[in-house]
PDB file of all heavy atoms in Angstrom:
ATOM      1  N   LEU A   2       0.830  -1.197   0.000  1.00 88.00           N
ATOM      2  CA  LEU A   2       0.000   0.000   0.000  1.00 88.00           C
ATOM      3  C   LEU A   2       0.875   1.262   0.000  1.00 88.00           C
ATOM      4  O   LEU A   2       0.598   2.228  -0.712  1.00 88.00           O
ATOM      5  CB  LEU A   2      -0.929   0.004   1.215  1.00 88.00           C
ATOM      6  CG  LEU A   2      -1.859   1.212   1.363  1.00 88.00           C
ATOM      7  CD1 LEU A   2      -2.749   1.376   0.137  1.00 88.00           C
ATOM      8  CD2 LEU A   2      -2.703   1.087   2.630  1.00 88.00           C
ATOM      9  N   PHE A   3       1.934   1.248   0.800  1.00 91.00           N
ATOM     10  CA  PHE A   3       2.869   2.368   0.807  1.00 91.00           C
ATOM     11  C   PHE A   3       3.454   2.596  -0.588  1.00 91.00           C
ATOM     12  O   PHE A   3       3.535   3.731  -1.068  1.00 91.00           O
ATOM     13  CB  PHE A   3       4.014   2.110   1.799  1.00 91.00           C
ATOM     14  CG  PHE A   3       3.786   2.735   3.136  1.00 91.00           C
ATOM     15  CD1 PHE A   3       3.408   1.969   4.216  1.00 91.00           C
ATOM     16  CD2 PHE A   3       3.964   4.097   3.320  1.00 91.00           C
ATOM     17  CE1 PHE A   3       3.197   2.540   5.465  1.00 91.00           C
ATOM     18  CE2 PHE A   3       3.764   4.683   4.551  1.00 91.00           C
ATOM     19  CZ  PHE A   3       3.377   3.900   5.631  1.00 91.00           C
ATOM     20  N   ILE A   4       3.868   1.510  -1.220  1.00 90.00           N
ATOM     21  CA  ILE A   4       4.479   1.632  -2.548  1.00 90.00           C
ATOM     22  C   ILE A   4       3.465   2.169  -3.549  1.00 90.00           C
ATOM     23  O   ILE A   4       3.774   3.050  -4.358  1.00 90.00           O
ATOM     24  CB  ILE A   4       5.035   0.258  -3.003  1.00 90.00           C
ATOM     25  CG1 ILE A   4       6.230  -0.139  -2.118  1.00 90.00           C
ATOM     26  CG2 ILE A   4       5.450   0.308  -4.477  1.00 90.00           C
ATOM     27  CD1 ILE A   4       6.709  -1.565  -2.326  1.00 90.00           C
ATOM     28  N   ARG A   5       2.219   1.682  -3.470  1.00 88.00           N
ATOM     29  CA  ARG A   5       1.188   2.128  -4.418  1.00 88.00           C
ATOM     30  C   ARG A   5       0.880   3.613  -4.253  1.00 88.00           C
ATOM     31  O   ARG A   5       0.653   4.325  -5.241  1.00 88.00           O
ATOM     32  CB  ARG A   5      -0.080   1.283  -4.217  1.00 88.00           C
ATOM     33  CG  ARG A   5      -1.203   1.637  -5.163  1.00 88.00           C
ATOM     34  CD  ARG A   5      -2.197   0.494  -5.288  1.00 88.00           C
ATOM     35  NE  ARG A   5      -2.721   0.070  -4.011  1.00 88.00           N
ATOM     36  CZ  ARG A   5      -3.777   0.626  -3.397  1.00 88.00           C
ATOM     37  NH1 ARG A   5      -4.397   1.652  -3.973  1.00 88.00           N
ATOM     38  NH2 ARG A   5      -4.213   0.186  -2.251  1.00 88.00           N
ATOM     39  N   LEU A   6       0.866   4.092  -3.016  1.00 87.00           N
ATOM     40  CA  LEU A   6       0.569   5.500  -2.779  1.00 87.00           C
ATOM     41  C   LEU A   6       1.788   6.402  -2.973  1.00 87.00           C
ATOM     42  O   LEU A   6       1.674   7.538  -3.437  1.00 87.00           O
ATOM     43  CB  LEU A   6       0.021   5.690  -1.358  1.00 87.00           C
ATOM     44  CG  LEU A   6      -1.360   5.118  -1.068  1.00 87.00           C
ATOM     45  CD1 LEU A   6      -1.720   5.298   0.395  1.00 87.00           C
ATOM     46  CD2 LEU A   6      -2.422   5.757  -1.954  1.00 87.00           C
ATOM     47  N   ALA A   7       2.963   5.890  -2.603  1.00 89.00           N
ATOM     48  CA  ALA A   7       4.166   6.733  -2.629  1.00 89.00           C
ATOM     49  C   ALA A   7       4.791   6.834  -4.017  1.00 89.00           C
ATOM     50  O   ALA A   7       5.396   7.861  -4.346  1.00 89.00           O
ATOM     51  CB  ALA A   7       5.203   6.201  -1.631  1.00 89.00           C
ATOM     52  N   MET A   8       4.656   5.786  -4.836  1.00 88.00           N
ATOM     53  CA  MET A   8       5.361   5.776  -6.121  1.00 88.00           C
ATOM     54  C   MET A   8       4.939   6.914  -7.045  1.00 88.00           C
ATOM     55  O   MET A   8       5.799   7.552  -7.677  1.00 88.00           O
ATOM     56  CB  MET A   8       5.170   4.430  -6.819  1.00 88.00           C
ATOM     57  CG  MET A   8       6.088   3.334  -6.279  1.00 88.00           C
ATOM     58  SD  MET A   8       7.843   3.776  -6.321  1.00 88.00           S
ATOM     59  CE  MET A   8       8.123   3.891  -8.083  1.00 88.00           C
ATOM     60  N   PRO A   9       3.637   7.218  -7.199  1.00 86.00           N
ATOM     61  CA  PRO A   9       3.288   8.362  -8.051  1.00 86.00           C
ATOM     62  C   PRO A   9       3.886   9.676  -7.545  1.00 86.00           C
ATOM     63  O   PRO A   9       4.335  10.505  -8.335  1.00 86.00           O
ATOM     64  CB  PRO A   9       1.760   8.389  -7.992  1.00 86.00           C
ATOM     65  CG  PRO A   9       1.363   6.998  -7.655  1.00 86.00           C
ATOM     66  CD  PRO A   9       2.432   6.513  -6.728  1.00 86.00           C
ATOM     67  N   ILE A  10       3.883   9.870  -6.209  1.00 82.00           N
ATOM     68  CA  ILE A  10       4.480  11.084  -5.657  1.00 82.00           C
ATOM     69  C   ILE A  10       5.982  11.089  -5.917  1.00 82.00           C
ATOM     70  O   ILE A  10       6.571  12.117  -6.265  1.00 82.00           O
ATOM     71  CB  ILE A  10       4.212  11.177  -4.142  1.00 82.00           C
ATOM     72  CG1 ILE A  10       2.720  11.115  -3.867  1.00 82.00           C
ATOM     73  CG2 ILE A  10       4.802  12.458  -3.558  1.00 82.00           C
ATOM     74  CD1 ILE A  10       2.370  11.076  -2.394  1.00 82.00           C
ATOM     75  N   LEU A  11       6.607   9.929  -5.758  1.00 86.00           N
ATOM     76  CA  LEU A  11       8.043   9.809  -6.008  1.00 86.00           C
ATOM     77  C   LEU A  11       8.372  10.170  -7.447  1.00 86.00           C
ATOM     78  O   LEU A  11       9.333  10.904  -7.708  1.00 86.00           O
ATOM     79  CB  LEU A  11       8.503   8.377  -5.694  1.00 86.00           C
ATOM     80  CG  LEU A  11       9.997   8.091  -5.855  1.00 86.00           C
ATOM     81  CD1 LEU A  11      10.789   8.851  -4.822  1.00 86.00           C
ATOM     82  CD2 LEU A  11      10.271   6.606  -5.740  1.00 86.00           C
ATOM     83  N   MET A  12       7.566   9.685  -8.386  1.00 83.00           N
ATOM     84  CA  MET A  12       7.813   9.992  -9.799  1.00 83.00           C
ATOM     85  C   MET A  12       7.653  11.490 -10.066  1.00 83.00           C
ATOM     86  O   MET A  12       8.450  12.103 -10.780  1.00 83.00           O
ATOM     87  CB  MET A  12       6.844   9.201 -10.677  1.00 83.00           C
ATOM     88  CG  MET A  12       7.082   7.701 -10.660  1.00 83.00           C
ATOM     89  SD  MET A  12       8.756   7.250 -11.169  1.00 83.00           S
ATOM     90  CE  MET A  12       8.758   7.864 -12.860  1.00 83.00           C
ATOM     91  N   GLY A  13       6.608  12.083  -9.481  1.00 80.00           N
ATOM     92  CA  GLY A  13       6.418  13.517  -9.648  1.00 80.00           C
ATOM     93  C   GLY A  13       7.569  14.310  -9.074  1.00 80.00           C
ATOM     94  O   GLY A  13       8.035  15.293  -9.668  1.00 80.00           O
ATOM     95  N   MET A  14       8.053  13.893  -7.916  1.00 80.00           N
ATOM     96  CA  MET A  14       9.160  14.605  -7.276  1.00 80.00           C
ATOM     97  C   MET A  14      10.481  14.390  -8.010  1.00 80.00           C
ATOM     98  O   MET A  14      11.368  15.258  -7.970  1.00 80.00           O
ATOM     99  CB  MET A  14       9.284  14.166  -5.818  1.00 80.00           C
ATOM    100  CG  MET A  14       8.166  14.704  -4.941  1.00 80.00           C
ATOM    101  SD  MET A  14       8.381  14.297  -3.206  1.00 80.00           S
ATOM    102  CE  MET A  14       7.083  15.323  -2.479  1.00 80.00           C
ATOM    103  N   LEU A  15      10.629  13.257  -8.655  1.00 82.00           N
ATOM    104  CA  LEU A  15      11.829  13.044  -9.473  1.00 82.00           C
ATOM    105  C   LEU A  15      11.873  14.047 -10.625  1.00 82.00           C
ATOM    106  O   LEU A  15      12.945  14.548 -10.990  1.00 82.00           O
ATOM    107  CB  LEU A  15      11.869  11.609 -10.009  1.00 82.00           C
ATOM    108  CG  LEU A  15      12.254  10.534  -8.984  1.00 82.00           C
ATOM    109  CD1 LEU A  15      12.120   9.142  -9.603  1.00 82.00           C
ATOM    110  CD2 LEU A  15      13.680  10.751  -8.484  1.00 82.00           C
ATOM    111  N   PHE A  16      10.705  14.330 -11.194  1.00 79.00           N
ATOM    112  CA  PHE A  16      10.661  15.371 -12.225  1.00 79.00           C
ATOM    113  C   PHE A  16      10.961  16.742 -11.623  1.00 79.00           C
ATOM    114  O   PHE A  16      11.561  17.596 -12.278  1.00 79.00           O
ATOM    115  CB  PHE A  16       9.299  15.375 -12.921  1.00 79.00           C
ATOM    116  CG  PHE A  16       9.260  14.513 -14.144  1.00 79.00           C
ATOM    117  CD1 PHE A  16       9.016  13.155 -14.040  1.00 79.00           C
ATOM    118  CD2 PHE A  16       9.482  15.051 -15.403  1.00 79.00           C
ATOM    119  CE1 PHE A  16       8.986  12.346 -15.164  1.00 79.00           C
ATOM    120  CE2 PHE A  16       9.455  14.257 -16.535  1.00 79.00           C
ATOM    121  CZ  PHE A  16       9.207  12.892 -16.421  1.00 79.00           C
ATOM    122  N   ASN A  17      10.544  16.939 -10.377  1.00 75.00           N
ATOM    123  CA  ASN A  17      10.889  18.188  -9.700  1.00 75.00           C
ATOM    124  C   ASN A  17      12.392  18.295  -9.502  1.00 75.00           C
ATOM    125  O   ASN A  17      12.987  19.367  -9.663  1.00 75.00           O
ATOM    126  CB  ASN A  17      10.181  18.265  -8.344  1.00 75.00           C
ATOM    127  CG  ASN A  17      10.364  19.598  -7.676  1.00 75.00           C
ATOM    128  OD1 ASN A  17       9.936  20.633  -8.181  1.00 75.00           O
ATOM    129  ND2 ASN A  17      11.034  19.605  -6.541  1.00 75.00           N
ATOM    130  N   LEU A  18      13.016  17.166  -9.153  1.00 77.00           N
ATOM    131  CA  LEU A  18      14.475  17.134  -9.032  1.00 77.00           C
ATOM    132  C   LEU A  18      15.133  17.405 -10.372  1.00 77.00           C
ATOM    133  O   LEU A  18      16.108  18.172 -10.460  1.00 77.00           O
ATOM    134  CB  LEU A  18      14.917  15.774  -8.482  1.00 77.00           C
ATOM    135  CG  LEU A  18      16.431  15.523  -8.460  1.00 77.00           C
ATOM    136  CD1 LEU A  18      17.133  16.539  -7.568  1.00 77.00           C
ATOM    137  CD2 LEU A  18      16.727  14.091  -8.007  1.00 77.00           C
ATOM    138  N   LEU A  19      14.591  16.777 -11.430  1.00 79.00           N
ATOM    139  CA  LEU A  19      15.139  16.997 -12.770  1.00 79.00           C
ATOM    140  C   LEU A  19      15.048  18.479 -13.141  1.00 79.00           C
ATOM    141  O   LEU A  19      15.997  19.058 -13.683  1.00 79.00           O
ATOM    142  CB  LEU A  19      14.376  16.148 -13.787  1.00 79.00           C
ATOM    143  CG  LEU A  19      14.816  16.291 -15.252  1.00 79.00           C
ATOM    144  CD1 LEU A  19      16.267  15.864 -15.428  1.00 79.00           C
ATOM    145  CD2 LEU A  19      13.896  15.469 -16.163  1.00 79.00           C
ATOM    146  N   TYR A  20      13.895  19.099 -12.822  1.00 75.00           N
ATOM    147  CA  TYR A  20      13.749  20.532 -13.085  1.00 75.00           C
ATOM    148  C   TYR A  20      14.781  21.330 -12.304  1.00 75.00           C
ATOM    149  O   TYR A  20      15.401  22.258 -12.830  1.00 75.00           O
ATOM    150  CB  TYR A  20      12.340  21.001 -12.701  1.00 75.00           C
ATOM    151  CG  TYR A  20      12.305  22.393 -12.147  1.00 75.00           C
ATOM    152  CD1 TYR A  20      12.571  23.492 -12.962  1.00 75.00           C
ATOM    153  CD2 TYR A  20      12.042  22.622 -10.799  1.00 75.00           C
ATOM    154  CE1 TYR A  20      12.566  24.773 -12.444  1.00 75.00           C
ATOM    155  CE2 TYR A  20      12.030  23.893 -10.281  1.00 75.00           C
ATOM    156  CZ  TYR A  20      12.296  24.966 -11.105  1.00 75.00           C
ATOM    157  OH  TYR A  20      12.307  26.230 -10.593  1.00 75.00           O
ATOM    158  N   THR A  21      14.976  20.989 -11.018  1.00 74.00           N
ATOM    159  CA  THR A  21      15.939  21.716 -10.187  1.00 74.00           C
ATOM    160  C   THR A  21      17.335  21.640 -10.788  1.00 74.00           C
ATOM    161  O   THR A  21      18.060  22.640 -10.840  1.00 74.00           O
ATOM    162  CB  THR A  21      15.948  21.130  -8.763  1.00 74.00           C
ATOM    163  OG1 THR A  21      14.643  21.261  -8.202  1.00 74.00           O
ATOM    164  CG2 THR A  21      16.951  21.850  -7.882  1.00 74.00           C
ATOM    165  N   ILE A  22      17.714  20.436 -11.235  1.00 78.00           N
ATOM    166  CA  ILE A  22      19.046  20.259 -11.824  1.00 78.00           C
ATOM    167  C   ILE A  22      19.171  21.050 -13.120  1.00 78.00           C
ATOM    168  O   ILE A  22      20.151  21.775 -13.336  1.00 78.00           O
ATOM    169  CB  ILE A  22      19.321  18.759 -12.067  1.00 78.00           C
ATOM    170  CG1 ILE A  22      19.408  18.017 -10.726  1.00 78.00           C
ATOM    171  CG2 ILE A  22      20.600  18.570 -12.874  1.00 78.00           C
ATOM    172  CD1 ILE A  22      19.493  16.515 -10.863  1.00 78.00           C
ATOM    173  N   VAL A  23      18.166  20.930 -13.995  1.00 79.00           N
ATOM    174  CA  VAL A  23      18.207  21.628 -15.279  1.00 79.00           C
ATOM    175  C   VAL A  23      18.193  23.140 -15.073  1.00 79.00           C
ATOM    176  O   VAL A  23      18.952  23.886 -15.702  1.00 79.00           O
ATOM    177  CB  VAL A  23      17.021  21.185 -16.171  1.00 79.00           C
ATOM    178  CG1 VAL A  23      16.943  22.050 -17.429  1.00 79.00           C
ATOM    179  CG2 VAL A  23      17.168  19.721 -16.547  1.00 79.00           C
ATOM    180  N   ASP A  24      17.334  23.590 -14.160  1.00 76.00           N
ATOM    181  CA  ASP A  24      17.245  25.014 -13.860  1.00 76.00           C
ATOM    182  C   ASP A  24      18.592  25.548 -13.371  1.00 76.00           C
ATOM    183  O   ASP A  24      19.071  26.603 -13.811  1.00 76.00           O
ATOM    184  CB  ASP A  24      16.170  25.233 -12.790  1.00 76.00           C
ATOM    185  CG  ASP A  24      15.783  26.697 -12.632  1.00 76.00           C
ATOM    186  OD1 ASP A  24      15.301  27.278 -13.618  1.00 76.00           O
ATOM    187  OD2 ASP A  24      15.959  27.256 -11.537  1.00 76.00           O
ATOM    188  N   THR A  25      19.227  24.799 -12.456  1.00 76.00           N
ATOM    189  CA  THR A  25      20.531  25.209 -11.928  1.00 76.00           C
ATOM    190  C   THR A  25      21.595  25.181 -13.013  1.00 76.00           C
ATOM    191  O   THR A  25      22.467  26.065 -13.070  1.00 76.00           O
ATOM    192  CB  THR A  25      20.938  24.293 -10.757  1.00 76.00           C
ATOM    193  OG1 THR A  25      19.876  24.254  -9.793  1.00 76.00           O
ATOM    194  CG2 THR A  25      22.194  24.803 -10.080  1.00 76.00           C
ATOM    195  N   LEU A  26      21.518  24.184 -13.890  1.00 78.00           N
ATOM    196  CA  LEU A  26      22.486  24.097 -14.987  1.00 78.00           C
ATOM    197  C   LEU A  26      22.399  25.313 -15.911  1.00 78.00           C
ATOM    198  O   LEU A  26      23.418  25.914 -16.266  1.00 78.00           O
ATOM    199  CB  LEU A  26      22.255  22.817 -15.799  1.00 78.00           C
ATOM    200  CG  LEU A  26      22.882  21.530 -15.267  1.00 78.00           C
ATOM    201  CD1 LEU A  26      22.365  20.329 -16.048  1.00 78.00           C
ATOM    202  CD2 LEU A  26      24.402  21.604 -15.355  1.00 78.00           C
ATOM    203  N   PHE A  27      21.188  25.691 -16.274  1.00 78.00           N
ATOM    204  CA  PHE A  27      21.029  26.831 -17.187  1.00 78.00           C
ATOM    205  C   PHE A  27      21.379  28.158 -16.517  1.00 78.00           C
ATOM    206  O   PHE A  27      21.945  29.050 -17.146  1.00 78.00           O
ATOM    207  CB  PHE A  27      19.615  26.864 -17.763  1.00 78.00           C
ATOM    208  CG  PHE A  27      19.371  25.841 -18.829  1.00 78.00           C
ATOM    209  CD1 PHE A  27      18.389  24.879 -18.686  1.00 78.00           C
ATOM    210  CD2 PHE A  27      20.134  25.835 -19.994  1.00 78.00           C
ATOM    211  CE1 PHE A  27      18.168  23.935 -19.674  1.00 78.00           C
ATOM    212  CE2 PHE A  27      19.926  24.892 -20.984  1.00 78.00           C
ATOM    213  CZ  PHE A  27      18.942  23.933 -20.822  1.00 78.00           C
ATOM    214  N   ILE A  28      21.054  28.268 -15.221  1.00 77.00           N
ATOM    215  CA  ILE A  28      21.438  29.488 -14.501  1.00 77.00           C
ATOM    216  C   ILE A  28      22.960  29.583 -14.405  1.00 77.00           C
ATOM    217  O   ILE A  28      23.546  30.647 -14.633  1.00 77.00           O
ATOM    218  CB  ILE A  28      20.798  29.522 -13.097  1.00 77.00           C
ATOM    219  CG1 ILE A  28      19.285  29.719 -13.210  1.00 77.00           C
ATOM    220  CG2 ILE A  28      21.395  30.650 -12.254  1.00 77.00           C
ATOM    221  CD1 ILE A  28      18.556  29.647 -11.885  1.00 77.00           C
ATOM    222  N   SER A  29      23.605  28.452 -14.103  1.00 74.00           N
ATOM    223  CA  SER A  29      25.066  28.464 -14.002  1.00 74.00           C
ATOM    224  C   SER A  29      25.716  28.709 -15.355  1.00 74.00           C
ATOM    225  O   SER A  29      26.822  29.251 -15.444  1.00 74.00           O
ATOM    226  CB  SER A  29      25.567  27.143 -13.417  1.00 74.00           C
ATOM    227  OG  SER A  29      25.305  26.060 -14.299  1.00 74.00           O
ATOM    228  N   ALA A  30      25.007  28.330 -16.455  1.00 74.00           N
ATOM    229  CA  ALA A  30      25.555  28.524 -17.802  1.00 74.00           C
ATOM    230  C   ALA A  30      25.661  30.002 -18.176  1.00 74.00           C
ATOM    231  O   ALA A  30      26.365  30.353 -19.128  1.00 74.00           O
ATOM    232  CB  ALA A  30      24.693  27.789 -18.822  1.00 74.00           C
TER     233      ALA A  30
END
């Protein structure tokens, strides 16, 4: 049940992490 509820949030937050990394990369560029 934890995995079923947490996995969609985890996937969404991974995209948030990806955005943070990309955003920081372009700002540093």
